[in-house]
Amino acid sequence: MEIIHVSAECYPVAKAGGLGDVVGALPKYQVKLGHIAKVIMPMYRTKFLYTNEWELVHEGGQNLGPHWFHYSIIKEKTNKLGFDLFLVDINGLLDREKIYGYNDDTERFTSFQIAVVDWISKWSHKPDIVHVHDHQAGLIPFMMKHCFVFNHLADIPTVLTIHNAQYQGQMGWDKSYYLPSWDRWKWGGLDWNNSINPLASAVKCAWKVTTVSWSYLDELKYMSAGLENLFEYEKGKCVGILNGIDNEVWDPSKDPLLKQTYSKLTVDIGKQANKKELCDRFGLDIEKPLIVFIGRLVGEKAADLLPDAISSSIYQHHGNCCFLILGSGETAVEGELADMNNRFSGYINTYIGYSEPLSHLMYAGADFLLMPSRVEPCGLNQMYALRYGTVPIVRNTGGLRDTVTDFGDWQGFGIRFDNASVWDITYSVGRAIDLYTNKKELWDWMRGYMMDIDHSWDSAAQEYIDVYTSLK
Ligand code: ADP
């Protein structure tokens, strides 16, 4: 089967979050299952672009409304990632340093999608599946069905995977002329609440919709930033498939980014060496349990609660814990956390920014990983933590609910709480300190148990293949 993934992110080419991890791994595992999987993404100015070799495979031109643009498709020469990787270069629009966050993101990603469909429409054969990821590729199922020039692609099955429904890419109807001439009777395929909504459009037009965990699929029916009725209506074609993790990248016994690698047998010494590295670097006390947070500092992740929850935990639990935060996001949260570094020096430290090496070291050196998320479609961090023997402290939501059980339950190996509140976090930190200080035997058992859990892509990759097969 030939599968074409279209995405705005793909690790290690360009990653802002979980979408990048998934698109960097799933195709590789589909290739291992004997299929042809290809990834098409925008060509940003990232390090990966400049440190690899490329060949030009296609040049074309299309219109974004009245503006004609030229695009080129380049292919990575060596199959380095384990699948064919294609980048779409649109001069002046896509070739920027950041992935998102520009005023013309609508124009950037709409042109990207037009270029992708235009290129596929020129192929001498048809792929078996076009698999689009999130709203940045969400107009593709509509275009393949209803744009006149792409009509011959209408019988190719399309699959949408929703990694995060909070972002939908809405644009006003005044931009409807951006798309190549399309069947105006089908305007409902683009519309949601009087604007063009690429994510809603993909939910309506894709042949099948998947979400990255089972619980998230349920939650979307009552909490999806305005799309609740749509998910209720389209539930028949939606299915939850829990993300996997790339066991080759995330392996504590081989991870080159660690101070000391370790396996289940050497977890105690291995983690201690990595913890020492972190504590030395960030001025924290190695004797105390180290609780880390890694992620975007935004409301979705409940990062706004961190400053109060951390100070409350330090006071309530008499300073018997340390915190290390890695992330960037809302300026107010960044500022408050930076301020806390001084007020609670020795108890908390924060690294504002994005650092892949530091994140690996933190998964390995931490005792606990905190994820109080308000919304968590799947969450990969907790799965990395499990693989690295770090006990997850998570809110009971989305993929966190599907992957972590509380140690108070039978064979539980994590700490779960219900509300995204300062009180729930403080209470859970208390349970973590108790586990660390008084229940060493249970804690050791939990670490061994969680490191054995298989969250690899092998079975999830097959589940996607089953979805594709059901569409043929
Ligand atoms: P998201 O909602 O951000 O996609 P996920 O849990 O699905 O959340 O994926 C987050 C991924 O991004 C993980 O691989 C995590 O380690 C990584 N990550 C997030 N923030 C940072 C950061 N500041 N530095 C390094 N890695 C980060």
Side-chain angles (χ1 to χ4, degrees):
M1 201 181 279
E2 183 179 8
I3 308 140
I4 310 301
H5 292 274
V6 187
S7 166
E9 297 179 34
C10 171
Y11 178 82
V13 191
K15 164 179 159 183
L19 169 65
D21 283 334
V22 172
V23 179
L26 172 61
K28 184 163 78 182
Y29 285 79
Q30 291 179 329
V31 168
K32 283 188 187 163
L33 289 173
H35 303 280
I36 300 168
K38 301 178 173 173
V39 170
I40 310 178
M41 65 178 297
M43 191 201 86
Y44 313 107
R45 288 188 182 281
T46 64
K47 190 169 160 221
F48 192 92
L49 175 68
Y50 299 111
T51 48
N52 287 281
E53 287 190 40
W54 305 89
E55 63 183 303
L56 179 69
V57 292
H58 180 76
E59 279 188 282
Q62 255 294 350
N63 274 70
L64 179 75
H67 312 289
W68 187 85
F69 65 88
H70 171 263
Y71 71 88
S72 338
I73 311 279
I74 55 173
K75 177 175 182 259
E76 193 273 315
K77 273 185 175 173
T78 60
N79 201 278
K80 188 174 191 176
L81 304 184
F83 51 82
D84 287 337
L85 170 71
F86 299 90
L87 306 185
V88 180
D89 179 19
I90 304 178
N91 217 340
L93 270 185
L94 297 176
D95 52 345
R96 309 220 181 129
E97 277 172 19
K98 285 193 298 172
I99 304 175
Y100 316 112
Y102 298 100
N103 288 338
D104 58 352
D105 276 356
T106 297
E107 287 71 21
R108 297 173 71 224
F109 289 108
T110 309
S111 317
F112 162 66
Q113 295 176 79
I114 294 171
V116 170
V117 183
D118 188 60
W119 177 44
I120 296 176
S121 77
K122 303 274 169 19
W123 292 8
S124 55
H125 72 286
K126 289 181 183 175
D128 294 293
I129 296 286
V130 173
H131 189 154
V132 302
H133 297 266
D134 275 354
H135 78 80
Q136 296 88 0
L139 293 170
I140 289 177
F142 178 89
M143 286 198 273
M144 288 170 60
K145 269 186 174 161
H146 303 306
C147 287
F148 298 116
V149 304
F150 305 138
N151 255 347
H152 60 292
L153 303 179
D155 60 346
I156 303 175
T158 50
V159 173
L160 162 73
T161 293
I162 300 177
H163 300 258
N164 194 333
Q166 299 298 307
Y167 305 94
Q168 300 170 3
Q170 293 97 328
M171 59 180 105
W173 267 103
D174 55 326
K175 297 194 169 157
S176 65
Y177 70 106
Y178 279 179
L179 301 186
S181 175
W182 51 278
D183 181 352
R184 294 278 156 172
W185 288 101
K186 305 293 186 213
W187 67 274
L190 291 173
D191 183 73
W192 193 255
N193 271 344
N194 301 323
S195 52
I196 295 179
N197 184 316
L199 189 71
S201 168
V203 174
K204 292 178 186 185
C205 299
W207 294 31
K208 198 91 186 173
V209 176
T210 73
T211 60
V212 291
S213 70
W214 318 293
S215 290
Y216 188 53
L217 178 56
D218 280 344
E219 287 172 11
L220 287 175
K221 289 178 211 143
Y222 58 89
M223 198 179 58
S224 52
L227 301 188
E228 296 77 8
N229 292 342
L230 179 62
F231 284 111
E232 181 56 39
Y233 184 73
E234 296 284 8
K235 63 184 173 200
K237 68 170 169 185
C238 298
V239 54
I241 301 178
L242 189 69
N243 280 340
I245 60 172
D246 191 336
N247 272 351
E248 289 167 16
V249 176
W250 297 94
D251 179 356
S253 69
K254 297 201 184 93
D255 193 332
L257 300 172
L258 304 193
K259 177 77 182 165
Q260 186 170 323
T261 54
Y262 58 92
S263 67
K264 197 178 139 181
L265 295 176
T266 52
V267 58
D268 247 340
I269 339 168
K271 282 187 77 70
Q272 195 66 7
N274 291 298
K275 183 175 177 183
K276 181 166 184 326
E277 174 70 15
L278 284 174
C279 291
D280 288 350
R281 206 190 290 180
F282 291 98
L284 303 169
D285 183 349
I286 194 168
E287 296 304 323
K288 295 177 183 165
L290 176 61
I291 303 168
V292 301
F293 173 97
I294 300 168
R296 293 178 291 123
L297 298 175
V298 295
E300 222 181 288
K301 303 282 179 195
D304 50 302
L305 298 178
L306 288 177
D308 283 349
I310 291 173
S311 53
S312 148
S313 297
I314 293 171
Y315 283 128
Q316 297 264 343
H317 307 303
H318 314 291
N320 284 322
C321 49
C322 288
F323 293 87
L324 182 58
I325 316 289
L326 165 64
S328 60
E330 287 163 16
T331 351
V333 180
E334 288 183 2
E336 275 185 77
L337 286 170
D339 183 43
M340 288 182 74
N341 293 351
N342 300 325
R343 279 197 293 138
F344 295 95
S345 165
Y347 293 96
I348 168 181
N349 213 329
T350 308
Y351 180 103
I352 300 290
Y354 189 94
S355 168
E356 198 73 27
L358 179 57
S359 75
H360 283 244
L361 191 64
M362 285 169 71
Y363 288 116
D367 298 303
F368 299 92
L369 174 90
L370 175 63
M371 293 182 79
S373 311
R374 294 193 174 91
V375 182
E376 197 59 80
C378 174
L380 294 169
N381 302 18
Q382 81 281 10
M383 295 200 254
Y384 300 144
L386 295 174
R387 184 132 165 88
Y388 283 64
T390 301
V391 178
I393 307 176
V394 304
R395 185 172 161 250
N396 209 352
T397 186
L400 300 176
R401 183 204 299 265
D402 294 345
T403 50
V404 178
T405 48
D406 191 90
F407 76 87
D409 298 332
W410 189 69
Q411 294 213 321
F413 47 81
I415 296 178
R416 264 174 42 166
F417 56 93
D418 287 328
N419 300 307
S421 68
V422 169
W423 163 247
D424 272 32
I425 299 173
T426 309
Y427 179 73
S428 303
V429 168
R431 292 183 71 207
I433 296 171
D434 183 44
L435 196 58
Y436 179 89
T437 323
N438 305 319
K439 301 191 169 89
K440 175 86 174 89
E441 220 170 280
L442 174 60
W443 195 49
D444 283 345
W445 174 85
M446 282 164 59
R447 291 208 297 202
Y449 185 87
M450 68 175 75
M451 286 180 80
D452 273 346
I453 298 174
D454 181 11
H455 276 304
S456 72
W457 268 109
D458 295 305
S459 64
Q462 182 58 48
E463 282 182 66
Y464 278 104
I465 300 295
D466 295 343
V467 166
Y468 307 152
T469 312
S470 72
L471 301 175
K472 295 303 279 179

